[in-house]
Amino acid sequence: MKKTNASILIIDDQEDILFASKVYLKKYFENIYTLNNPKNIVELLAKNTIDVVLLDMNYRIGFEDGREGLYLLKEIKTLSPKTVVILMTAFGKVETAVEGLKSGAFDYILKPWENTKLLESVKQAVDKARKEQKKMKSPEIADDFFIGNSEIIKKAYSLADKVAKTDANVLILGENGTGKFVLAHHIYSQSERKTQPFVNVDLGALNSNIFESELFGYAKGAFTDAKTDTPGRFEMAQNGTIFLDEIGNVPLHLQSKLLQVIQTKTVTRLGETKPRPLNVRIITATNLNLKLEVADKNFREDLYYRINTMEIVLPPLRERIEDKIPLAEYLLEKISEKYGRSQIIFDKKVLEQIEKHAWNGNIREMENKIERAVILCENNKITVSDLDLEQITEYENLDDIQLSSVEKATVEKALLKHNNNISKTAEELGLSRGSLYRRLEKYNISTN
């Protein structure tokens, strides 16, 4: 039997699973790699072209919620977008695996698995990887995304097109779900660096304990488990572009280290003393008001000016009224194709509701609602109940209401929803805890 010329990576902390899966899959595929420590993913992906990754979702004893697997999934998709990921999870953890599918995983299998199921899943993933590789090699295929016709969004993209041709650092501001990543990648794709790497780093999801090693890399022996010299994200973006998302969430004591790299255009790996030169274009983004964060001493002023050569503000969807229905129709077409249901349409009443709804979660909220509706709808028509939007508040029908009244009502509603939990409320509103406390004081809102 002829083997398929493909490279498969299996990541699991159980040696018996690594051994069994390698022996079985070796019969069908040319190259099988195994890792029992997920920290070595970066090095392996840097040295090898991997078609498919079989990724376990839990590694530390006592942490079995699958969050490690979801984090590693994002890492892999960032480092090697063409690599297809299959999640491995125990029975009873399917919900987390489904969340992984929404985050870009191709499939999941339950442990212990049936060999035939495993083989079939990997074969399909290899086919998917081949298609992705072919697509990435085709220069005529452009990024498919929705901009819109509202003046406010066209102005933002016009500014992006102008700055894209330069090497200026760009700061993108906007609420959660307004498309900051899409705009950052658009700037990259229009730049002179478009044939070089684009490295996306979600600083909000990066634990402060591994901040330096992930961004700046480390030398062999720099700390426990540092068994090989490993480049950081900045080095991976050499000659290309690095996108630092949620930069407003970087702790104050780590901001100085980031500033040093940006100022000197060099990076020093942990465990080394000699700086390495960098040629990297930097794009950053945040949903916070950095001017307020600087005023409150939560963000360094010198770092703010370093990353803010050009500032682009993405408007919330509620300010793009004429874009709501076209965006919804674009998303419906995209999601319907994903699920193989190309004939789905919106009921007329749904379009009216889409236009009136505030969409406080912006594009991300709309995409999630429409995806749910596509799954649930019958007779290829999405109804009001399928879309499942909350009732329109009394403020959405008033033209002359003051902005402060709307903001106060929004904060109170979010507090009620989360039982006065400050952290969860701040997260939903896209605010820092400090910013939320200022609004509580401003509007005399009690959390007792």
Side-chain angles (χ1 to χ4, degrees), residues 245-264:
D245 199 5
E246 303 297 349
I247 194 167
N249 292 334
V250 177
L252 198 60
H253 70 283
L254 294 173
Q255 291 175 23
S256 60
K257 300 180 183 296
L258 190 56
L259 176 65
Q260 178 71 13
V261 171
I262 296 173
Q263 280 182 326
T264 64

Side-chain angles (χ1 to χ4, degrees), residues 160-299:
D161 288 338
K162 291 178 182 177
V163 75
K165 306 302 180 184
T166 74
D167 266 348
N169 294 338
V170 180
L171 171 63
I172 303 174
L173 300 175
E175 296 177 6
N176 286 333
T178 50
K180 296 189 288 295
F181 172 85
V182 172
L183 180 60
H185 195 272
H186 176 75
I187 293 171
Y188 157 75
S189 66
Q190 300 299 310
S191 74
E192 298 298 324
R193 297 174 181 261
K194 61 186 176 183
T195 59
Q196 300 299 323
F198 177 82
V199 176
N200 173 35
V201 186
D202 184 356
L203 296 176
L206 201 60
N207 189 298
S208 60
N209 294 329
I210 60 172
F211 180 89
E212 292 182 72
S213 61
E214 286 290 314
L215 285 184
F216 311 141
Y218 53 86
K220 180 179 179 181
F223 51 83
T224 305
D225 292 332
K227 298 178 181 178
T228 59
D229 292 339
T230 303
R233 301 298 185 83
F234 273 97
E235 285 184 75
M236 290 178 188
Q238 188 72 289
N239 300 318
T241 300
I242 189 167
F243 176 48
L244 303 175
D245 199 5
E246 303 297 349
I247 194 167
N249 292 334
V250 177
L252 198 60
H253 70 283
L254 294 173
Q255 291 175 23
S256 60
K257 300 180 183 296
L258 190 56
L259 176 65
Q260 178 71 13
V261 171
I262 296 173
Q263 280 182 326
T264 64
K265 296 183 179 179
T266 63
V267 64
T268 303
R269 294 181 182 179
L270 286 177
E272 293 184 348
T273 56
K274 184 179 179 180
R276 299 167 182 261
L278 281 178
N279 176 18
V280 176
R281 204 269 180 82
I282 299 171
I283 303 176
T284 56
T286 181
N287 58 6
L288 301 180
N289 185 327
L290 287 189
K291 289 183 179 179
L292 287 178
E293 296 301 309
V294 169
D296 289 347
K297 308 298 182 183
N298 294 323
F299 199 86

Side-chain angles (χ1 to χ4, degrees), residues 64-109:
E64 298 180 353
D65 58 2
R67 293 293 146 188
E68 287 178 294
L70 294 175
Y71 175 78
L72 293 170
L73 168 63
K74 292 180 181 179
E75 294 285 286
I76 293 168
K77 299 305 290 184
T78 297
L79 296 170
S80 182
K82 64 183 179 296
T83 297
V84 178
V85 180
I86 299 172
L87 301 174
M88 299 187 294
T89 186
F91 180 78
K93 304 295 181 180
V94 174
E95 185 177 340
T96 308
V98 171
E99 185 177 345
L101 297 181
K102 292 183 178 180
S103 299
F106 173 72
D107 196 5
Y108 70 88
I109 57 175

Side-chain angles (χ1 to χ4, degrees), residues 145-150 153-154 157 161 186 320 323 327:
F145 65 96
F146 179 91
I147 295 178
N149 292 312
S150 61
I153 194 65
K154 287 196 292 186
Y157 269 85
D161 288 338
H186 176 75
R320 301 170 54 188
D323 288 336
L327 174 60

